[in-house]
């Protein structure tokens, strides 16, 4: 199974921060880990020119290839730049930009069609967790967000509990384990045995201290990291932690 560490810079990063990508690139030049950094659109071009052994991904894309969509960026344009990965359906896009599962499904479809490695995000709110509906919510998000897609060769699923994002809180390791096992089982039941190769990432307040225990969980194949991906000093220990887990 691939091991993946993806950094989501969200709306952070200016030209001077490209240095962090360069440092990661230099430090992990021979790493076997699939390292992905998703800076804002403004840095994609410069980042993909300087990154070596680090993939550069986009945080979003439009479900159409081109046209009268002011301010939007298409999968075609990303591929043109040499971008290899995308993040689709992040909870911040779902909740702050009104992205429904239907929109997410259209984005996933075009992203996969354009052969981008596509990280689809799912996760429950604090309230849904308290109501014990996490598994139900995750299953529905998976079903709806992947609707009309049949080829999952380039799909990556990120489980990001919304209440854990940027809060410093993480679920108990046993909870992460239960949820990742559930996602794996449902993916295989829904989409067949090939789905056993879909990497499953955990996201939400991952840092250098909690990374080792998270990466020891069965069916956790990596992490989607927000805040701690912004600097070399915080991101590098997370990559080292997964390098140190058994194959
Ligand atoms: P934090 O690592 O800052 O909690 O963010 C997680 C996230 O949203 C990554 O996509």
């Amino acid at each position: 199974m691939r091991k993946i560490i993806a950094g989501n810079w969200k709306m952070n990063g200016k030209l001077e921060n490209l240095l962090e990508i360069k440092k990661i690139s230099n430090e992990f030049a021979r790493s076997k880990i699939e390292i992905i950094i998703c800076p804002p659109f403004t840095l994609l071009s410069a980042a993909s020119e300087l990154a070596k052994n680090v993939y550069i991904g986009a945080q979003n894309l439009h479900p159409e290839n081109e046209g009268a969509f002011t301010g939007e960026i298409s999968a075609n344009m990303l591929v043109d730049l040499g971008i290899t990965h995308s993040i689709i359906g992040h909870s911040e896009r779902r909740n702050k930009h009104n992205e429904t599962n239907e929109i997410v499904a259209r984005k996933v479809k075009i992203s996969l069609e354009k052969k981008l490695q596509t990280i689809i995000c799912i996760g429950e709110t604090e309230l849904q967790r308290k109501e014990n509906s996490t598994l139900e919510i995750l299953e529905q998000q998976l079903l709806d967000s992947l609707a009309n897609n049949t080829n999952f060769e380039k799909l990556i699923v990120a489980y990001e509990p919304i209440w854990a994002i940027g809060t410093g809180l993480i679920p108990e390791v046993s909870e992460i384990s239960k949820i990742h096992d559930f996602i794996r089982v449902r993916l295989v039941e829904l989409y067949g045995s090939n789905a056993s190769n879909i990497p499953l990432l955990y996201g939400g307040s991952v840092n250098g201290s909690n990374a080792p225990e998270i990466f020891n969980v069965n069916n956790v194949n990596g992490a989607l990291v927000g805040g701690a991906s912004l600097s070399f000093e915080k991101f590098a220990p997370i990559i080292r932690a997964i390098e140190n887990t058994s194959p």
Side-chain angles (χ1 to χ4, degrees):
M1 178 63 85
R2 290 147 65 195
K3 291 182 182 178
I4 299 175
I5 300 294
N8 174 10
W9 281 17
K10 308 189 180 184
M11 198 171 72
N12 297 292
K14 297 195 287 188
L15 287 172
E16 63 192 23
N17 302 100
L18 290 168
L19 185 60
E20 305 305 317
I21 299 179
K22 205 169 183 172
K23 287 194 218 163
I24 291 287
S25 238
N26 290 341
E27 178 77 9
F28 295 99
R30 275 174 293 282
S31 179
K32 299 263 186 309
I33 306 303
E34 189 171 326
I35 303 167
I36 310 157
I37 297 181
C38 304
F41 283 132
T42 49
L43 297 182
L44 285 180
S45 182
S48 55
E49 269 170 37
L50 68 82
K52 292 188 184 57
N53 205 32
V54 169
Y55 296 97
I56 300 299
Q59 300 170 21
N60 182 32
L61 48 79
H62 191 274
E64 300 290 331
N65 272 324
E66 65 213 345
F69 301 101
T70 302
E72 295 291 331
I73 310 279
S74 72
N76 256 349
M77 295 167 177
L78 296 171
V79 171
D80 191 40
L81 273 191
I83 301 306
T84 50
H85 291 65
S86 69
I87 300 174
I88 307 287
H90 191 282
S91 58
E92 287 151 16
R93 294 220 52 91
R94 292 176 185 266
N95 299 332
K96 298 178 182 167
H97 298 272
N98 303 319
E99 277 190 17
T100 60
N101 278 331
E102 189 255 331
I103 295 173
V104 172
R106 287 173 58 211
K107 291 185 173 191
V108 170
K109 188 168 171 58
I110 198 121
S111 183
L112 291 174
E113 275 172 14
K114 294 296 165 192
K115 310 255 181 294
L116 290 168
Q117 297 281 345
T118 303
I119 304 174
I120 158 99
C121 303
I122 57 173
E124 82 286 2
T125 64
E126 190 174 9
L127 181 65
Q128 289 163 339
R129 179 174 185 240
K130 282 196 179 125
E131 291 172 346
N132 271 328
S133 49
T134 299
L135 299 182
E136 223 172 285
I137 295 292
L138 297 179
E139 173 157 13
Q140 201 58 48
Q141 283 178 343
L142 272 180
L143 273 171
D144 293 349
S145 307
L146 299 179
N148 305 321
N149 288 292
T150 47
N151 186 349
F152 297 121
E153 204 187 311
K154 297 203 181 300
L155 188 76
I156 299 164
V157 173
Y159 166 57
E160 296 206 310
I162 296 170
W163 54 271
I165 295 177
T167 58
L169 303 170
I170 61 165
E172 296 290 331
V173 168
S174 58
E175 209 175 330
I176 297 178
S177 174
K178 185 180 118 192
I179 291 171
H180 277 243
D181 286 352
F182 171 79
I183 295 171
R184 171 71 68 219
V185 167
R186 290 306 287 137
L187 281 171
V188 170
E189 282 170 4
L190 291 165
Y191 305 112
S193 57
N194 283 346
S196 56
N197 294 323
I198 296 175
L200 304 184
L201 312 185
Y202 167 78
S205 296
V206 176
N207 58 40
S209 311
N210 60 28
E213 58 174 355
I214 295 173
F215 296 147
N216 271 330
V217 175
N218 195 26
N219 279 321
V220 172
N221 312 117
L224 179 55
V225 185
S229 70
L230 292 168
S231 71
F232 172 82
E233 280 68 28
K234 289 186 175 161
F235 200 37
I238 298 174
I239 302 170
R240 286 194 199 104
I242 202 162
E243 282 183 332
N244 292 335
T245 57
S246 48

